[in-house]
């Protein structure tokens, strides 16, 4: 009986560590463990797909209707996605408004029917609470996952980048990760700047420089100077402000730069 009690306690703790208490689905840790155990696709013409689904309006609903409404909505959406994607899909809850999924053995040429079902059936998901009525939008980012070439963390990072790119195009959008896509390149460049902004804005790397402006027609105009922003990169080379400034603006930290 002592061993049985210990086993039950261990299973309960393991469940808490790897599962979301609200939906009962695996959490991020549990999902990564599942990705680590995923075998390679049996057919060379097929691939696994990792996806991130992010829903909108959760903050609005929490403020207007309370926590219980948010919990009801999260469980409803998880159940709907489970129904649409089928039993072969591994579904996880990363937060109340973000789900992850593993779609095994999708055709490289024909794609995954489950993704089309999500787009057709899940867009503008209706939700009512009391006298309030909402239409929930979502965005999906997808990435191919080959366990022999790409780790679970990297597959999730790519799917998340694709999801952010889809979100920048509006609601109810889907984006497949393509390293050569201009939108994804711009987004990943901005994300790379995000981790370096604090150091730059603290004064490490930013400087002012003078650029002389000379009249060329000799009409009595005097030369003057413009004061411009200069940026030193980590390797000592100058960074083009046209890469730096848009990232600062996108991350809503322009006032600090000013």
């Amino acid at each position: 009986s002592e061993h049985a009690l210990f086993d039950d306690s261990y299973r309960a703790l393991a469940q808490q560590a790897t599962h979301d208490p609200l939906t009962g689905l695996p959490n991020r840790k549990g999902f990564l463990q599942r990705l680590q155990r995923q075998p390679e696709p049996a057919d060379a013409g097929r691939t696994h797909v990792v996806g991130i689904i992010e829903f909108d309006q959760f903050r609005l609903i929490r403020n207007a209707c309370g926590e219980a409404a948010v919990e009801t909505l999260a469980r409803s959406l998880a159940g709907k996605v489970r129904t649409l994607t089928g039993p072969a899909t591994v579904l996880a809850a990363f937060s109340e408004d973000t789900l992850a999924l593993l779609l095994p053995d999708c055709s490289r040429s024909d794609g995954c029917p489950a993704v089309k079902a999500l787009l057709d059936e899940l867009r503008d998901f209706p939700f009512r609470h009391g006298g309030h009525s909402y239409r929930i939008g979502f965005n999906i980012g997808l990435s191919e996952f080959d366990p022999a070439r790409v780790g679970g963390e990297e597959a999730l990072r790519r799917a998340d980048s694709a999801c952010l790119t889809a979100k920048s195009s509006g609601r109810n959008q889907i984006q497949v990760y393509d390293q050569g896509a201009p939108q994804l390149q711009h987004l990943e460049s901005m994300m790379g700047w995000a981790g370096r902004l604090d150091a730059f804005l603290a004064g490490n790397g930013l400087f002012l420089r003078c650029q002389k402006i000379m009249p060329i027609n000799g009409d009595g105009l005097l030369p003057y100077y413009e004061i411009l922003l200069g940026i030193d990169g980590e390797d000592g080379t100058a960074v083009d402000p046209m890469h730096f400034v848009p990232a600062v603006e996108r991350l809503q930290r322009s006032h600090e730069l000013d």
Side-chain angles (χ1 to χ4, degrees):
S1 61
E2 289 179 351
H3 284 295
L5 180 61
F6 178 81
D7 288 343
D8 289 343
S9 299
Y10 177 81
R11 281 192 291 269
L13 288 172
Q15 178 78 9
Q16 292 175 14
T18 58
H19 286 73
D20 171 55
L22 180 60
T23 61
L25 296 172
N27 58 18
R28 184 183 183 90
K29 181 178 180 180
F31 188 69
L32 281 170
Q33 290 177 354
R34 182 63 178 81
L35 292 183
Q36 291 170 356
R37 299 194 302 268
Q38 184 68 25
E40 294 182 47
D43 188 341
R46 306 185 74 81
T47 183
H48 305 316
V49 171
V50 169
I52 297 289
I53 308 174
E54 185 174 318
F55 299 97
D56 63 15
Q57 304 218 63
F58 267 71
R59 179 175 294 175
L60 176 65
I61 292 171
R62 173 179 281 106
N63 289 336
C65 305
E67 190 66 29
V70 167
E71 293 179 356
T72 299
L73 175 59
R75 285 191 288 263
S76 298
L77 288 170
K80 183 68 171 179
V81 173
R82 166 58 71 205
T83 300
L84 292 172
T85 55
T89 299
V90 179
L91 189 63
F94 284 7
S95 65
E96 58 196 15
D97 63 353
T98 303
L99 299 176
L101 47 82
L102 167 64
L103 300 163
D105 292 319
C106 293
S107 169
R108 292 184 185 274
S109 57
D110 299 331
C112 298
V115 174
K116 186 177 186 304
L118 286 174
L119 288 172
D120 292 342
E121 302 292 334
L122 198 61
R123 70 176 69 239
D124 297 326
F125 181 81
F127 177 69
R128 292 185 61 86
H129 185 83
H132 300 273
S133 179
Y134 302 91
R135 291 283 179 174
I136 309 302
F138 69 100
N139 290 287
I140 305 178
L142 302 174
S143 173
E144 286 192 5
F145 174 51
D146 182 348
R149 296 186 297 108
V150 178
E153 287 277 8
E154 176 61 15
L156 280 177
R157 187 198 68 78
R158 293 180 179 184
D160 193 50
S161 290
C163 186
L164 287 171
T165 303
K167 190 174 180 180
S168 68
S169 301
R171 71 197 315 240
N172 300 327
Q173 301 293 319
I174 183 171
Q175 175 72 45
V176 178
Y177 183 86
D178 177 4
Q179 201 166 18
Q183 278 185 300
L184 271 170
Q185 288 180 340
H186 175 74
L187 176 68
E188 294 196 332
S189 173
M190 186 196 70
M191 291 169 65
W193 278 113
R196 301 162 61 190
L197 280 188
D198 283 337
F200 277 113
L201 294 175
N204 299 323
L206 299 184
F207 62 93
L208 298 178
R209 62 184 180 86
C210 292
Q211 178 165 305
K212 192 174 185 179
I213 309 298
M214 291 285 294
I216 60 174
N217 54 16
D219 289 338
L221 298 176
L222 298 175
Y224 65 93
Y225 292 87
E226 288 187 348
I227 308 299
L228 303 177
L229 177 69
I231 308 162
D232 277 334
E234 294 174 347
D235 57 358
T237 59
V239 174
D240 187 348
M242 291 308 296
H243 295 304
F244 177 76
V245 174
V248 175
E249 293 173 344
R250 182 76 180 270
L251 295 165
Q252 299 183 355
R253 301 187 67 176
S254 300
H255 60 288
E256 297 178 60
L257 181 61
D258 293 341

